[in-house]
Amino acid sequence: MERVFSFKMMVDKALHPLVASLFFVIWFGGSLPYAYAQLTPTFYDGTCPNVSTIIRGVLVQALQTDPRIGASLTRLHFHDCFVDGCDGSILLDNTATIESEKEAVPNNNSARGFDVVDNMKAAVENACPGIVSCADILAIAAEESVRLAGGPSWTVPLGRRDSLIANRSGANSSIPAPFESLAVLKSKFAAVGLNTSSDLVALSGAHTFGRAQCLNFISRLYNFSGSGNPDPTLNTTYLAALQQLCPQAGNRSVLTNLDRTTADTFDGNYFSNLQTNEGLLQSDQELFSTTGADTIAIVNNFSGNQTAFFESFVVSMIRMGNISPLTGTDGEIRLNCRIVNNSTGSNALLVSSI
């Protein structure tokens, strides 16, 4: 059975978008980043009512051959929202006037799933031409990915529009990195209007599924912070296993599971791993191993109470999804997620393999 929490059901029962908007303001204590009222879960009810079902169908097919695609799509939504808001800018390719965010350091040879997004867009366009934005496809795909991996479900606020530009320099500076300290992570969350304790810990919990390359954590294994020694917060048994997987002069693109216990399941084991110093990324372990941090108690709570984690994750995902959306007449509804409309070839969708 889907894990659907009481606040979701309350929103589902709202009889008017204003009621839903007021509920979210009350639920979040009036602290929701930017304006929730611009987005509504019912946005496509009259124009593309089956959009979530269509996206889910493409995702289910992709999961048959790529078990990590759900985590990859969720990460695309994260990286999109942290750069000028949730506007689909991460999906844009290079052009004569656009420097793609795909080639920013946090994304280059790392962000993936763009072909699956293309297939989702093609399927949605086939059913509802020119209606659903690429930014909303990412938001829906993230929710579906989490739910299909055993995590919580939520009603996704919709109505975002797509950006006309990308911001590579913003991607380089704004997206949280795997080797950053807790203080830096907190500053990046605060910069986009997210809470630096509950939102930070809950959203980091998305690392309960997916993979990471050796290059993202090898600095912890041999020469942490220039010390010439491994990261002292890394469990020694886990350290030995990671050193075998990622030798100092080895292939740094080798993958390993972010959650060593349940790699493809969305659950609370990520937080239990932190308690035993088995967080893969420095940015993960910092949540528990930074002396005196207010995040430690939250990690402990989520480790022992998966329902609390799921509830907080839903709240934080909705908050993140509402960072600076383009709405109304701002931006556009891209016909091809990779290029803005009226560019050469932009009005022709990429060939879909679905």
Side-chain angles (χ1 to χ4, degrees):
M1 179 179 293
E2 291 184 4
R3 299 173 177 86
V4 184
F5 302 105
S6 58
F7 60 89
K8 173 188 182 296
M9 291 184 283
M10 290 175 66
V11 175
D12 287 343
K13 293 178 181 178
L15 299 179
H16 191 280
L18 177 59
V19 177
S21 299
L22 288 174
F23 167 72
F24 272 82
V25 170
I26 293 169
W27 177 267
F28 293 112
S31 62
L32 187 66
Y34 311 99
Y36 170 81
Q38 298 178 83
L39 304 179
T40 171
T42 61
F43 188 81
Y44 296 115
D45 280 7
T47 54
C48 196
N50 296 322
V51 59
S52 294
T53 302
I54 294 169
I55 290 171
R56 183 185 314 128
V58 177
L59 176 57
V60 167
Q61 182 174 340
L63 283 166
Q64 293 176 3
T65 56
D66 185 358
R68 53 188 285 234
I69 191 60
S72 297
L73 293 171
T74 304
R75 183 172 179 240
L76 285 183
H77 183 46
F78 274 57
H79 285 207
D80 184 39
C81 291
F82 267 82
V83 183
D84 299 332
C86 311
D87 59 4
S89 60
I90 193 172
L91 303 174
L92 289 170
D93 286 342
N94 282 322
T95 68
T97 57
I98 290 176
E99 287 191 337
S100 175
E101 293 171 21
K102 296 176 183 179
E103 296 183 9
V105 172
N107 299 325
N108 194 33
N109 296 319
S110 176
R112 62 190 297 273
F114 299 107
D115 55 336
V116 177
V117 175
D118 291 339
N119 290 343
M120 290 174 173
K121 179 62 171 174
V124 171
E125 285 293 312
N126 185 58
C128 319
I131 299 296
V132 181
S133 68
C134 300
D136 276 347
I137 287 174
L138 285 182
I140 295 170
E143 189 276 338
E144 293 289 346
S145 295
V146 169
R147 185 179 67 83
L148 289 172
S153 176
W154 63 95
T155 302
V156 181
L158 300 167
R160 301 167 190 82
R161 288 168 66 84
D162 296 321
S163 70
L164 303 175
I165 59 173
N167 184 356
R168 186 184 298 176
S169 63
N172 280 325
S173 62
S174 300
I175 295 173
F179 46 78
E180 288 177 334
S181 68
L182 182 60
V184 174
L185 295 173
K186 282 176 171 284
S187 70
K188 289 187 174 182
F189 271 66
V192 294
L194 293 175
N195 184 284
T196 60
S197 53
S198 58
D199 285 337
L200 172 57
V201 178
L203 292 175
S204 295
H207 286 170
T208 185
F209 65 164
R211 315 285 189 270
Q213 299 178 61
C214 290
L215 63 87
N216 289 315
F217 57 87
I218 198 166
S219 62
R220 303 185 69 199
L221 308 185
Y222 302 102
N223 186 26
F224 182 66
S225 298
S227 66
N229 297 304
D231 183 345
T233 68
L234 192 54
N235 177 289
T236 54
T237 302
Y238 190 34
L239 168 65
L242 292 175
Q243 286 177 329
Q244 184 174 8
L245 180 73
C246 307
Q248 199 160 9
N251 181 357
R252 299 198 174 191
S253 64
V254 170
L255 294 169
T256 193
N257 298 327
L258 283 162
D259 178 348
R260 67 181 309 198
T261 53
T262 51
D264 297 317
T265 302
F266 197 99
D267 56 27
N269 287 342
Y270 164 86
F271 299 102
S272 301
N273 294 338
L274 300 186
Q275 292 175 316
T276 56
N277 292 333
E278 294 176 299
L280 180 63
L281 307 179
Q282 178 187 341
S283 58
D284 293 329
Q285 196 60 50
E286 289 272 337
L287 302 177
F288 185 76
S289 296
T290 301
T291 303
D294 58 359
T295 53
I296 297 173
I298 303 173
V299 170
N300 288 333
N301 181 35
F302 289 169
S303 175
N305 188 342
Q306 182 171 277
T307 297
F309 165 46
F310 281 7
E311 290 177 347
S312 293
F313 183 79
V314 167
V315 171
S316 296
M317 283 295 286
I318 292 173
R319 284 170 54 83
M320 185 186 74
N322 281 273
I323 297 173
S324 301
L326 298 173
T327 58
T329 58
D330 292 336
E332 65 181 9
I333 305 298
R334 280 186 225 138
L335 301 180
N336 178 338
C337 291
R338 294 175 178 264
I339 41 183
V340 299
N341 297 341
N342 300 320
S343 296
T344 302
S346 66
N347 290 329
L349 282 170
L350 298 178
V351 176
S352 171
S353 62
I354 63 173

